[in-house]
Each structure stands twice: as C-alpha cells, then as structure tokens.
Amino acid sequence: MDNILVIGAAGQIGSELVVELRKQYGSEHVFATDIKLAPPDVIEGGPFQVLDVMDDKQLIHFIIRHKITQIYHLAAVLSGNAEKLPTQAWNINMDSLMNILEVAKMVEEVKKVFWPSSIAVFGPTTPRTNTPQLAVMEPVTVYGISKLAGERWCDYYFNKYGVDVRSIRYPGLISYKTEAGGGTTDYAVEIYYEAIRNGSYECFLTGNTSLPMLFMPDAIQATIQLMEAERSKLSIHSAYNLGGMSITPDQVYREILKEIPGFTISYNPDFRQAIADTWPESVDDSLAREDWGFKQHYDLEKMTGIMLKEIRNKLN
Ligand code: AKB
C-alpha cells in the first residue's frame, strides 16, 4: 500500500490534489504538509502536519516515520514573486528540490517523486506557437531559470541514481478553491473573483496576451495519471509539455460577459507583461498524450460556467 506525502498542501495545486489522492488511496495514506495552514477539508480530511521542506532532517524523519512511498513536492515561489526576491526564490526553489531528490535517492521505500515544472522554462528565443517538447530554452526569469535547472536535476537523478521523478511543464492553472499567488497567469483566476465581487477587473496583462491555461480538474487528473503510468511508457524524465487551451484576457472577459452582462475590464500592464511576452502562446503536448494518455476535458466556456458558479457559492 502506498503512503503519499504532499508538500505544499495549502497551495493552489496541493489543496485540490490532496482531496483527490485521498479519494483514490484512502485518507489515512495521504499526508498533507505545508509551512502554513491548509484549507479545512485538507486539515480535517486526513493527516496534516506543518513541515518545512527546507529542513532536510525533519523531512527525512517524516518520510521514514510514515513509510512514505510517493512524494509530491509542490512548494515553490512563482514567477512574479520570484522577480521581487530573486536570490531567496532561487534558494527556496532549488534547495527544496535538492532535499527531495536526495531523500528519494537515500530512502529505498520512496518509489516515485512528482515535481512541477512550468512553461516558464521557455524564453524569448523559443518558438512561441505550438512550442515543441525539445526547443531552445533560454528563460529570462528567476523562476524559469530555477525550473529549467530543476528539470536538468530531475533528469540527472533519474539517469545517475534511478530516482523515478516525474514532472509536467504546467501552463497557467485556473481554479476556484485556493487563489493563486505571485504568478504571471494569476489574472485568469482573479478575473472571475473580481467579476463576482466588484463587477469590474483591472488586468495586469494586455487584452491580447495569449497564454496556455488549464482548468484545475484537468491538471489534477493529468498529474495523477502521469504518476500512475508505467515507468517503461515514459520517454521524458525531465518534464512533459502540457498545453491545455490558449486564451487571452479579452477572451476570458467576453466569456464572463455572457453570464454577467455589466462586467467591465480595463488594462494596466505591469512588470508581468514582460514575463508573459517571453512565454509560449501555445504548447505541443503530443508526447503527454502518446506516453500516458493526457486528455483535456474543459474548454473556456465549460470552465467559465463552473468557475462562476463555484466562486458565487464560496463567496456567499
Ligand atoms: C506562474 O505564472 O508563475 C505559474 C506558471 C505558469 O508556472 N502559474
């Protein structure tokens, strides 16, 4: 029986992944951890503990004590925040990953590791449409540099030590449960909240900035699917491209407008525009589809209906 450790369980991905993993593996087998408190259903639905992934001794004790066999390491400083504190972000993103890779190398019971990469690994010299899995990669953000270095380390630990580490280059993730924090794609979550709260939204990207995005249920399903895939089927041990839907703020605005007729938007691009301008507009994820069966179920229209309904329920 697997015992699963989720690091970053209070975050945008972690808070939803824990709930899904507990349905599939049993509540008592999924250990949610974070340095801050997680949403009530994560804390009450199974084991939850405050754990700092930067503390390698505490980490290894936890893993041995709870006979952990799979680790999802989701804690990271995202692109926007990383630009404000570059050296701290680099240290957090890299040291935490190295702690996890070392533990997985040392503790034989740990069979698999998941670590999220991002479309931020690409840069201004990468082809921006239908970006291939293998392309020029010259990221210009601290976050992107840390994700690219992380991918290389994952591949290294796989080849050198046989650590079975799996990863996805997530596009922007859109969800209603936990608001995103400090990313360049955050507008695509904020816009729904502000449409309901205020009926207006000031967007920090221009209306025609096209970026790949994925609705959280698709991202959670993809993540678990990749972790459950047969190792022999996987041809990538750095991180798989994942595209989802390519959308602009203007398209999201128009979709919301169909349900909230008075909704208004204004554009006031900030430093995140320069980041978005270096990222792909769309991504070729054919390898994820071929190797482990990735499928996208939600488009902009379907997602918008659910986002508005769920955020209304939450705010009420
Ligand atoms: C960010 O905007 O920093 C993240 C990402 C695309 O990795 N959502």
Side-chain angles (χ1 to χ4, degrees):
M1 181 38 97
D2 274 304
N3 285 321
I4 301 176
L5 167 61
V6 179
I7 296 163
Q12 195 197 8
I13 305 172
S15 60
E16 302 211 23
L17 184 69
V18 165
V19 174
E20 198 49 44
L21 286 171
R22 282 181 175 154
K23 280 188 207 152
Q24 298 192 20
Y25 288 84
S27 304
E28 68 283 15
H29 294 292
V30 180
F31 296 80
T33 67
D34 206 302
I35 49 169
K36 55 179 193 262
L37 284 186
D41 60 342
V42 171
I43 295 181
E44 288 152 20
F48 174 81
Q49 192 177 310
V50 172
L51 177 79
D52 184 358
V53 62
M54 301 295 279
D55 182 343
D56 54 347
K57 289 192 184 61
Q58 196 195 6
L59 181 68
I60 198 158
H61 284 146
F62 189 97
I63 286 169
I64 291 170
R65 189 167 68 243
H66 297 289
K67 300 185 171 58
I68 297 298
T69 59
Q70 292 188 29
I71 305 172
Y72 289 78
H73 168 34
L74 306 171
V77 182
L78 297 185
S79 55
N81 280 351
E83 290 308 299
K84 294 178 195 155
L85 294 167
T87 49
Q88 283 96 324
W90 171 260
N91 292 341
I92 291 170
N93 289 356
M94 295 317 298
D95 292 354
S96 64
L97 173 61
M98 295 312 282
N99 283 349
I100 294 293
L101 291 174
E102 272 298 294
V103 167
K105 183 183 95 180
M106 286 186 300
V107 181
E108 215 184 307
E109 286 70 26
V110 176
K111 299 289 178 234
K112 283 182 222 169
V113 173
F114 180 84
W115 170 80
S117 186
S118 161
I119 54 161
V121 291
F122 298 113
T125 51
T126 308
R128 290 196 70 204
T129 41
N130 211 23
T131 301
Q133 175 72 33
L134 293 174
V136 176
M137 291 162 111
E138 295 184 314
V140 290
T141 61
V142 178
Y143 176 67
I145 298 169
S146 75
K147 288 295 180 189
L148 180 54
E151 283 193 11
R152 295 292 87 224
W153 276 117
C154 291
D155 199 54
Y156 183 89
Y157 270 71
F158 174 79
N159 288 314
K160 185 116 183 172
Y161 307 117
V163 174
D164 187 357
V165 48
R166 304 178 180 199
S167 179
I168 288 173
R169 290 174 185 152
Y170 286 127
L173 298 179
I174 304 178
S175 62
Y176 52 82
K177 185 174 174 185
T178 307
E179 287 180 63
T184 301
T185 57
D186 290 10
Y187 90 81
V189 176
E190 289 173 8
I191 191 170
Y192 289 101
Y193 275 89
E194 292 309 303
I196 291 172
R197 279 190 191 123
N198 301 320
S200 65
Y201 177 59
E202 187 183 276
C203 184
F204 57 78
L205 298 181
T206 59
N208 61 358
T209 305
S210 179
L211 288 169
M213 301 274 180
L214 199 60
F215 192 31
M216 191 59 87
D218 278 335
I220 299 294
Q221 198 189 11
T223 306
I224 297 176
Q225 226 174 334
L226 171 60
M227 282 295 268
E228 285 180 348
E230 257 176 57
R231 181 167 159 157
S232 60
K233 297 247 164 73
L234 304 179
S235 58
I236 300 291
H237 300 284
S238 52
Y240 278 90
N241 269 10
L242 217 62
M245 49 192 146
S246 288
I247 48 175
T248 65
D250 182 59
Q251 286 169 322
V252 183
Y253 164 69
R254 283 174 199 283
E255 205 52 53
I256 297 174
L257 202 58
K258 289 182 192 164
E259 284 207 38
I260 306 180
F263 179 45
T264 58
I265 191 162
S266 57
Y267 295 101
N268 188 10
D270 68 13
F271 71 100
R272 288 168 283 191
Q273 183 66 46
I275 300 178
D277 288 342
T278 70
W279 287 357
E281 290 176 7
S282 58
V283 161
D284 173 11
D285 53 23
S286 47
L287 266 182
R289 292 172 194 269
E290 282 161 27
D291 285 6
W292 46 272
F294 168 64
K295 269 201 192 78
Q296 180 195 332
H297 300 96
Y298 295 90
D299 59 13
L300 178 59
E301 189 184 349
K302 213 163 150 189
M303 176 183 75
T304 297
I306 300 173
M307 285 293 285
L308 293 175
K309 181 168 155 264
E310 294 295 338
I311 294 171
R312 272 195 195 104
N313 286 345
K314 189 176 162 184
L315 298 182
N316 285 337

